[in-house]
Amino acid sequence: MAENTNSINTELDYHKKKKKEEMKQQVITFALMIAFTIIAFTMVVSGLDKLFIIPILLVLAIVQVIFQLYYFMHMSHKGHELPAVMMYGGFAVAFLTVLTLLVLVWW
Amino acid sequence: MSHEDILNPKVMPEEPEKATLEGKNKFLGFWFFLGGETVLFASLFGTYLALKNSNNGGPTSEELFGLELVFIMTMLLLTSSLTSVYAMYHMKNNEFKKMQIWLGITVLLGLTFLGLEIYEFYEYIVHDGFTFRSSAFGSAFYTLVGFHGGHVLFGLLWIITLMARNAKRGLNLYNAPKFYIASLYWHFIDVVWVFIFTVVYLMGVI
């Protein structure tokens, strides 16, 4: 019995430690997201060329969203296959929706 | 073991949000909903992009938007995303009080964000005469940003209700999925905001 409780405790400690490690990663993710945001705003304020800034802004936004989904919303964890299907399905339709509405007013 | 005992284990399982069938179903159903929300917001973004130059002689996006306020709002919402990660961290460690504190901080940050957004709209309407009816640009802008603001309001009410309803109950396997789902919703609000500050505000002033 004593041995049994012991093994439960070590397992708990192990999981607790793992969660703490993950929390550290989350804070690093957060710092990176803050940095991306600051980069995006300073680029716009600095008044560089429009065609140069816009693609970078979009890439920064997409990377931030990936961070948010995979780290903050835990999509990097096991058991997120269906959520991934749903989100990627959503993004695919979202892309087509925006494309359609933009092409409509192109000319 | 009675039903109560099963929902209140002495040691919390690894993933309390998915330990019950109800929790698993909530988890899958909610991600399905988020996939749909993505498409809904995409149609509003597409509409905005298509109409943003139709300003009907009124103010254009360059004349209207200031970046200082948007920067502060972005920082607030991003920070509130981290605080709700902290809340879920404590939820998984079965530390109910700490979870409530971090959720409380999240709510405060969200309320400040909402206050600033209302102030921004007030300035546009009263000082710039830019309303929902000014132009197609106005309608598309208020629909997109206002719909996001509505999501923030709904998320806040949701989290506050959960905190109040479970304040005396403590954490168990019945309400752990509820807290987890609400935090997913809160993160999704930040996902949408990342595109709003990029596409509407930053790309609107260059």
Side-chain angles (χ1 to χ4, degrees), chain A residues 15 19 68 73-74 80 94, chain B residues 14 81 92-93 180 187 190:
Chain A
H15 284 307
K19 275 177 250 169
Q68 185 85 239
M73 292 164 89
H74 313 293
H80 282 72
Chain B
E14 242 324 84
S81 215
K92 287 187 179 182
N93 281 337
Y180 188 81
H187 291 307
D190 196 44

Side-chain angles (χ1 to χ4, degrees), chain A residues 5-6 14 16-17 26 35 38 43-44 46-50 59 62 65 68 78 82-83 91 97-99 103 106-107:
Chain A
T5 355
N6 237 342
Y14 167 72
K16 219 171 174 173
K17 219 177 139 190
Q26 309 269 36
I38 292 171
M43 270 200 340
V44 171
S46 72
L48 292 164
D49 186 52
K50 205 173 170 174
V59 170
I62 290 167
V65 164
Q68 185 85 239
K78 257 192 271 174
L82 271 169
F91 285 133
T97 310
V98 174
L99 189 72
V103 170
W106 203 271
W107 286 282

Side-chain angles (χ1 to χ4, degrees), chain A residues 23 26-27 30 72, chain B residues 78-87 187:
Chain A
M23 199 56 237
Q26 309 269 36
V27 176
F30 172 73
F72 282 11
Chain B
L78 194 56
T79 311
S80 81
S81 215
L82 181 77
T83 56
S84 81
V85 169
Y86 267 111
H187 291 307

